[in-house]
Amino acid sequence: EVQLVESGGDLVKPGGSLRLSCAASGFTFSYAWMSWVRQAPGKGLEWVGRIKSKTDGGTADYAAPVKGRFTISRDDSKNTVYLQMNSLKTEDTAVYYCATPSHQMANWGQGTLVTVSS
Amino acid sequence: DIQMTQSPSSLSASVGDRVTITCRASQSISTYLNWYQQKPGKAPNLLIYATSSLQSGVPSRFSGSGSVTDFTLTISSLQPEDFASYYCQQGYNTPFTFGGGTKVEVK
């Protein structure tokens, strides 16, 4: 059974940093393209970015609002994908989900809440 | 970036009703269109992928159609567990944008 478990959500001040983790199990993680999607309170879904498998280049793509501030990385030895968030803004407040695969997200974690507030 | 426009943003319906939600892309996305259902406090659930393919375990009352820029999700006979929000998403080009969502409420 595919399982994705996010962690690392917290309350952080504007301008601060946070790293989210998503631990995966139940599938061959090293082959998977992994995505991050967020949802602000009471709002719709917003794609954040995705990382390809290392065999497919291992590169990441990002949505415009987070490009240059957020970085997605992966550690295939730990079956974990990360979302490093820097220069956080109040508008980054959201539940952050990891999901897989990339083009059509059939498997999702339960989400982790990030609150950016002074 | 490809913009996804969903309509309506909300609708009221009764159990047994046929419900149709539309999604329009700002440019051609071939058939790279997915539909998700989301219930309050839960992660989204993939219903339909590649425009018309039913995800495993999803009831057959859900169906999808369309191509190029215009797509439709149909629920043939609305069930009590179908009251939820629905989102389309294009998987053609990054950024993989979502529609704004449709909330299906009890009439």
Side-chain angles (χ1 to χ4, degrees):
Chain A
E1 179 197 1
V2 173
Q3 266 206 310
L4 299 171
V5 180
E6 301 95 337
S7 60
D10 205 347
L11 170 64
V12 61
K13 287 181 167 50
S17 297
L18 202 60
R19 189 179 81 158
L20 306 183
S21 301
C22 172
S25 60
F27 61 101
T28 307
F29 180 79
S30 61
Y31 293 155
W33 294 26
M34 301 296 297
S35 298
W36 287 95
V37 175
R38 68 183 180 181
Q39 187 169 37
K43 302 296 184 183
L45 301 171
E46 181 182 20
W47 185 83
V48 172
R50 67 100 185 262
I51 187 165
K52 298 179 181 179
S53 65
K54 284 196 165 59
T55 54
D56 291 312
T59 56
D61 297 293
Y62 302 92
V66 308
K67 198 168 187 178
R69 300 188 298 123
F70 289 13
T71 302
I72 301 173
S73 62
R74 62 191 299 154
D75 185 340
D76 290 349
S77 70
K78 294 183 178 178
N79 286 0
T80 299
V81 62
Y82 302 99
L83 179 64
Q84 176 68 44
M85 303 185 294
N86 298 332
S87 303
L88 281 161
K89 305 175 182 181
T90 55
E91 52 264 40
D92 295 319
T93 294
V95 173
Y96 285 74
Y97 297 98
C98 69
T100 192
S102 175
H103 298 76
Q104 54 208 38
M105 292 166 276
N107 303 287
W108 295 69
Q110 83 289 350
T112 188
L113 176 62
V114 173
T115 303
V116 185
S117 174
S118 54
Chain B
D1 296 359
I2 299 173
Q3 309 303 318
M4 304 301 294
T5 304
Q6 237 180 286
S7 61
S9 56
S10 65
L11 64 90
S12 299
S14 302
V15 172
D17 284 354
R18 182 181 182 88
V19 169
T20 299
I21 299 168
T22 63
C23 184
R24 174 165 287 178
S26 60
Q27 65 185 73
S28 173
I29 58 170
S30 183
T31 56
Y32 290 89
L33 191 282
N34 309 311
W35 291 98
Y36 300 85
Q37 177 193 68
Q38 187 182 32
K39 296 182 179 178
K42 299 293 188 183
N45 182 43
L46 179 65
L47 298 175
I48 303 280
Y49 63 94
T51 297
S52 58
S53 295
L54 197 65
Q55 176 67 4
S56 177
V58 174
S60 59
R61 63 180 179 273
F62 291 94
S63 64
S65 63
S67 66
V68 188
T69 60
D70 293 297
F71 303 88
T72 300
L73 172 70
T74 300
I75 309 172
S76 60
S77 177
L78 197 67
Q79 297 302 299
E81 59 269 29
D82 300 337
F83 292 100
S85 294
Y86 294 84
Y87 295 90
C88 62
Q89 174 245 330
Q90 64 85 11
Y92 182 74
N93 261 346
T94 57
F96 291 150
T97 39
F98 288 88
T102 297
K103 188 172 184 179
V104 177
E105 299 174 303
V106 177
K107 191 169 187 178

